[in-house]
Amino acid sequence: MESSAAQTLNITTSLLKSRASKHAVYGVLIAFSCIAIATLMVAYLEKGAVSLDNLLYAQKSNFALWVLDLMPFIFALWGQYVSSIMAYQAGAMILDQTSELRAQAVVLEEKAFHGATHDSLTELPNRILLLDRLQQALSIASRQQSKLAIMVIDLDNFKEVNDSLGHFNGDVILKQVAARLQGALRNLDSVARLGGDEFAILLPEVASEQDVNIIARKLQQALKPSFQVGGLTLDINASFGAVLFPDHGNDMDTLMQRAEVAMYAAKKEKSSFIYYDKKYDQYSSKRLTLMAELRQAIDQKRLTVFFQPKVDIETGRVVEVEALVRWQHPEHGLLLPDEFIPMAERTGLITALTALVTELSLKQMAVWKQEGYDVGVTINISARVLLDPQFPDTLIGLLAAYRVEPEKVMLEITETTIMIDRERALETMFRFKDMSVRMSIDDFGTGYSSLAYLKDLPVHELKIDKSFVTDMCCNRDDAVIVKIVIELAHQLGLQVTAEGVETDDVLKMLTELDCDIAQGYLISKPLPADELISCLSNSSWQFTPSIQ
């Protein structure tokens, strides 16, 4: 390397020196021309004519011409010396700059390679590097007839965190997750970020499923402690899908695809960890199909709203109905919310879906009012919708379009939704209050909020979760909880709805506890609007007639 640099410097110096010397020769020729002209002028001025004798006389008799005669030689020598120094210095500067540029090029090349193979947020390997390592591990495992494992991990409901807390805080959590996963692995294992909130683990040396189970438990344990971000404490759960080589596949693409199938199966079955099985392939194909069709179903308004009545316990009148969306799929039949609502959350369609449900519900309310029924409607909204600043304006427009009084609409949220971003949630809730739209807290008692927050919330109703109501006749603890919630709500001036009412004994106990509203299969299951009217007309529960 040093000899090459020296050779480059010598060549550069010689080239620059030759160019400098060339210009020095031009200067000497110009100097000789000046001497000749000066000699001619002196000869003419002193002798009155220009001749050879007069020129020789001028050269011999004029001391200034002697000095002038020496100057070309002096300048030639000086120019040659200076040009050598300048050429050498210039060559050295060029060589230094060239070396610096080469060093910068190497650094940029390394950065480009790192950026192409690593995730910019977490600095973990990305999919490209993971697949390269997986291919190498597969080659080794095939030669040695050993096993390896791949796990795909997806954070549960992480889109809701991004929507509620913002992508900056979401990125903070992803960095923490990456650090925890990396810290829980062995040195030979690799963790990569595949994109979004999805990670992959490569275990190049495992003896059996038992080894994979041990590592999976370590990873789950690493994610168990709460995450601190934006002044909030959040619990982040994850779904794990795993495959073994060669048990679940022999090539890279098959293993990765089946690991993702297992992960989605874990989400579907609400299990934290699942190995791939052929029976889960239905989830993969069905999920991809539904994702493509859900947007079209929303745009074309091919979703249906079922209604479940809420009855005033004292009068036996239906005062409200809860709107529950259904999807009558041409291939898969009637799909319940659990099968497509999480998908709508992940794909960002939940706002459009909620707007459609709201529109269909208000439209039905307008029809019922014309038929002489005075009934309100309860609509469920998620954290993304609650924190969407445009949804209140959408609701205002729909209320005006169908001429529905705002006080006839109740928006139902969960207490955990409020706690994700309490300040923003309260701001939107107070805006709904100013619009005269009522708010209800669903599944009360199952979340993490403090009772101290309840007095600050602009809500009209508490809804007791059915997990406490259904067995309250035979479970003393459930009965005590229901009683306390009813008393607390009434002290705060709130209405109480008990869902999950399935027997007369439960309804009787709720009556004794002074509960306001009952909802459950004892009254009616969720039904389409026309079927609901027919069903209730043959029961003791009746719609409240409207005032014409």
Side-chain angles (χ1 to χ4, degrees):
M1 186 71 179
E2 292 181 359
S3 60
S4 176
Q7 184 178 4
T8 301
L9 179 60
N10 290 333
I11 294 173
T12 305
T13 302
S14 300
L15 180 62
L16 292 174
K17 183 177 179 181
S18 65
R19 292 184 178 180
S21 299
K22 180 179 178 181
H23 290 285
V25 170
Y26 292 156
V28 170
L29 292 176
I30 293 172
F32 275 117
S33 299
C34 292
I35 292 173
I37 293 172
T39 302
L40 289 172
M41 292 178 66
V42 170
Y44 180 80
L45 291 173
E46 291 190 359
K47 296 295 185 177
V50 177
S51 64
L52 181 60
D53 291 337
N54 291 341
L55 292 174
L56 292 174
Y57 173 80
Q59 281 289 334
K60 292 178 180 179
S61 63
N62 196 310
F63 178 77
L65 288 179
W66 295 357
V67 176
L68 189 62
D69 291 341
L70 294 175
M71 294 306 293
F73 302 100
I74 294 173
F75 277 110
L77 292 174
W78 179 79
Q80 190 70 15
Y81 171 75
V82 171
S83 67
S84 298
I85 298 299
M86 292 177 63
Y88 183 83
Q89 291 177 342
M93 290 175 62
I94 292 174
L95 184 61
D96 290 342
Q97 292 177 354
T98 302
S99 299
E100 184 177 352
L101 289 174
R102 286 177 177 173
Q104 291 178 356
V106 171
V107 172
L108 291 175
E109 185 178 353
E110 290 177 352
K111 286 184 177 180
F113 178 77
H114 186 273
T117 57
H118 287 76
D119 174 56
S120 59
L121 176 65
T122 62
E123 291 298 320
L124 292 178
N126 60 13
R127 184 184 291 270
I128 295 174
L129 184 54
L130 174 75
L131 294 180
D132 181 68
R133 292 179 179 178
L134 175 57
Q135 190 62 60
Q136 296 179 34
L138 284 173
S139 299
I140 295 173
S142 298
R143 289 196 305 268
Q144 298 179 351
Q145 295 185 346
S146 59
K147 293 179 179 290
L148 65 80
I150 304 169
M151 284 189 285
V152 173
I153 305 169
D154 190 81
L155 306 183
D156 296 336
N157 302 319
F158 190 74
K159 186 171 183 61
E160 186 172 310
V161 175
N162 267 336
D163 294 338
S164 302
L165 302 183
H167 287 278
F168 175 80
N169 288 321
D171 289 346
V172 172
I173 293 178
L174 289 175
K175 291 180 181 179
Q176 295 178 19
V177 169
R180 292 190 188 187
L181 294 177
Q182 209 164 18
L185 293 175
R186 304 170 299 181
N187 291 333
L188 70 161
D189 302 329
S190 298
V191 55
R193 184 186 179 206
L194 301 182
D197 58 334
E198 191 171 324
F199 298 84
I201 307 292
L202 171 61
L203 309 175
E205 295 181 13
V206 292
S208 64
E209 287 188 2
Q210 184 63 27
D211 289 348
V212 182
N213 294 341
I214 292 173
I215 295 173
R217 282 196 293 269
K218 288 182 179 179
L219 294 172
Q220 290 170 338
Q221 195 65 29
L223 297 178
K224 190 174 182 180
S226 299
F227 290 79
Q228 304 291 329
V229 59
L232 297 175
T233 300
L234 300 178
D235 291 327
I236 302 295
N237 298 316
S239 299
F240 289 67
V243 292
L244 278 172
F245 168 84
D247 303 33
H248 300 125
N250 295 313
D251 61 272
M252 178 176 64
D253 293 336
T254 300
L255 290 170
M256 287 299 299
Q257 189 264 340
R258 289 180 173 176
E260 291 200 3
V261 168
M263 181 271 291
Y264 281 111
K267 282 188 177 295
K268 176 71 176 178
E269 299 191 357
K270 301 188 184 304
S271 175
S272 59
F273 180 79
I274 281 182
Y275 283 101
Y276 168 79
D277 190 282
K278 288 184 179 180
K279 67 181 181 181
Y280 298 135
D281 286 337
Q282 59 176 320
Y283 292 150
S284 179
S285 58
K286 183 177 179 181
R287 177 179 58 84
L288 293 175
T289 302
L290 291 179
M291 286 178 64
E293 295 174 341
L294 180 59
R295 184 182 296 275
Q296 292 182 353
I298 295 173
D299 293 341
Q300 298 172 9
K301 299 183 179 180
R302 289 190 279 109
L303 298 177
T304 305
V305 176
F306 281 29
F307 298 93
Q308 186 175 33
K310 298 169 65 177
V311 172
D312 185 308
I313 295 177
E314 183 177 355
T315 65
R317 293 284 183 179
V318 177
V319 292
E320 286 179 337
V321 291
E322 181 176 357
L324 301 167
V325 66
R326 300 290 187 267
W327 184 4
Q328 187 64 49
H329 194 278
E331 180 181 351
H332 304 296
L334 187 66
L335 299 181
L336 298 179
D338 288 347
E339 299 189 64
F340 59 91
I341 291 295
M343 185 190 310
E345 292 279 5
R346 290 195 300 271
T347 57
L349 294 174
I350 190 63
T351 301
L353 176 60
T354 304
L356 176 59
V357 172
T358 303
E359 180 180 358
L360 296 176
S361 301
L362 298 185
K363 182 178 181 180
Q364 184 58 51
M365 287 182 67
V367 171
W368 278 334
K369 186 174 183 179
Q370 289 181 349
E371 294 176 349
Y373 301 119
D374 182 25
V375 62
V377 67
T378 300
I379 301 169
N380 294 276
I381 61 173
S382 67
R384 180 185 179 94
V385 177
L386 178 63
L387 301 177
D388 181 1
Q390 295 181 351
F391 182 72
D393 296 318
T394 300
L395 181 57
I396 290 173
L398 292 173
L399 289 170
Y402 293 102
R403 298 181 180 181
V404 174
E405 299 90 339
E407 57 270 15
K408 290 293 184 181
V409 177
M410 181 180 292
L411 301 179
E412 194 171 287
I413 58 176
T414 63
E415 52 178 321
T416 50
T417 296
I418 302 172
M419 298 310 297
I420 288 176
D421 190 341
R422 186 168 177 268
E423 289 186 5
R424 290 176 60 192
L426 282 175
E427 182 180 345
T428 307
M429 291 172 71
F430 275 108
R431 186 176 177 189
F432 285 132
K433 181 181 179 181
D434 293 339
M435 293 165 51
S436 298
V437 173
R438 298 168 299 149
M439 300 290 296
S440 172
I441 298 183
D442 189 17
D443 299 340
F444 186 78
T446 63
Y448 306 99
S449 66
S450 168
L451 294 177
Y453 294 145
L454 195 57
K455 60 182 177 63
D456 299 324
L457 300 179
V459 296
H460 175 81
E461 176 189 82
L462 283 188
K463 198 170 188 181
I464 306 175
D465 186 65
K466 61 183 179 181
S467 61
F468 300 114
V469 175
T470 302
D471 297 327
M472 61 183 294
C473 289
C474 54
N475 188 315
R476 184 180 178 277
D477 291 339
D478 287 348
V480 170
I481 292 174
V482 171
K483 179 181 179 181
I484 292 174
V485 172
I486 293 173
E487 292 177 351
L488 172 65
H490 287 169
Q491 287 293 327
L492 295 173
L494 302 179
Q495 171 182 288
V496 180
T497 291
E499 62 178 354
V501 180
E502 299 180 358
T503 65
D504 289 320
D505 290 338
V506 170
L507 181 60
K508 181 180 179 182
M509 184 174 289
L510 290 172
T511 304
E512 294 172 353
L513 294 175
D514 201 22
C515 185
D516 303 298
I517 306 293
Q519 180 181 357
Y521 278 24
L522 176 65
I523 303 163
S524 173
K525 64 180 181 179
L527 293 171
D530 53 349
E531 293 184 27
L532 181 62
I533 295 294
S534 176
C535 176
L536 293 180
S537 63
N538 298 318
S539 71
S540 58
W541 319 103
Q542 300 295 321
F543 273 102
T544 303
S546 61
I547 300 175
Q548 299 295 332

